[in-house]
Amino acid sequence: MSLLPSPLAMVAKAPVVPVVVIERLEEAVPLARALVEGGLPLIEVTLRTPVALEAVRLIAAEVEGAIVGAGTVIERAQIETSLEAGATFLVSPGTTPDLLAAFTETPIPVMAGCASASEAMRLAELGFEVLKFFPAEPSGGAAFLKSVAGPLPHLRFCPTGGIGPYNAPDYLALPNVVAVGGSWVVPADAIRAGDFGKVRDLATAAAALKRAAAFA
């Protein structure tokens, strides 16, 4: 039994985890509210912009129902700053030995990234039970996850990378996929235009996607 905080319960709240890049801080709260209203409460704010951590802080403080986390965590220092900002989970695109060591001491759930069976097995040995499969489509897609379900039945995945409304159902039909990550529900043009109604509508459609029975 893993002693690490598990992200399973929170990731199972909706079939899609929006992967959000926030360029302007004033977009953070209305964007998060639109996602929550559409039925996607779990929000991954990627640490790719100068305002990302402050965006996490604002969403955590001001958006009721939002479960906000920090994504694109690639170094140890980002863990502490994400915790200070109020992140409730962390996501990494991959894992280095130093990052893994830090993750095993992190008090909030982590979805550590993997792209192969060997990486997944190593993460499982350390107690991680829900992994980010990234980049999903270039790394074998749904066919890869289907093939590892037999030898690695205890692992669950949140695939991200190249996933949209056209292929998300293929992933969500798999019993080892708890959710998919995607940016199609937060199109950059809609955000720049302040069209958060469009974001809400896309989130509503995504929230209606069906998952395997284990996570229904």
Side-chain angles (χ1 to χ4, degrees):
M1 180 70 69
S2 170
L3 297 179
L4 298 178
S6 173
L8 186 57
M10 66 168 60
V11 180
K13 289 182 179 294
V16 177
V17 179
V19 179
V20 178
V21 178
I22 295 178
E23 300 285 353
R24 297 180 299 181
L25 193 57
E26 60 267 27
E27 298 165 349
V29 168
L31 177 61
R33 283 180 177 150
L35 291 169
V36 172
E37 289 170 5
L40 301 182
L42 202 71
I43 302 170
E44 176 189 337
V45 176
T46 63
L47 301 184
R48 303 180 194 174
T49 68
V51 301
L53 283 170
E54 186 59 27
V56 170
R57 193 185 313 277
L58 282 177
I59 294 170
E62 299 186 20
V63 183
E64 184 177 356
I67 304 170
V68 62
T72 321
V73 176
I74 59 174
E75 58 187 20
R76 182 184 287 263
Q78 291 174 316
I79 297 175
E80 186 61 34
T81 54
S82 296
L83 290 171
E84 291 172 354
T88 53
F89 67 96
L90 303 176
V91 185
S92 71
T95 47
T96 63
D98 185 61
L99 195 59
L100 275 180
F103 279 159
T104 59
E105 301 170 355
T106 300
I108 61 175
V110 175
M111 284 193 288
C114 70
S116 71
S118 294
E119 291 173 355
M121 291 169 64
R122 175 58 177 153
L123 290 168
E125 287 178 348
L126 294 174
F128 296 92
E129 64 175 5
V130 181
L131 310 180
K132 176 172 180 172
F133 177 49
F134 178 83
E137 283 291 286
S139 300
F144 170 83
L145 292 175
K146 184 177 181 180
S147 70
V148 300
L152 303 174
H154 54 299
L155 284 180
R156 298 292 179 264
F157 296 89
C158 180
T160 307
I163 299 177
Y166 50 89
N167 61 356
D170 296 334
Y171 287 92
L172 293 169
L174 300 175
N176 59 347
V177 171
V178 63
V180 300
S183 59
W184 83 88
V185 295
V186 284
D189 57 346
I191 297 172
R192 284 194 298 268
D195 189 357
F196 299 110
K198 180 177 181 179
V199 172
R200 184 188 61 246
D201 291 345
L202 289 169
T204 299
L209 291 173
K210 302 299 183 183
R211 290 183 285 199
F215 303 108

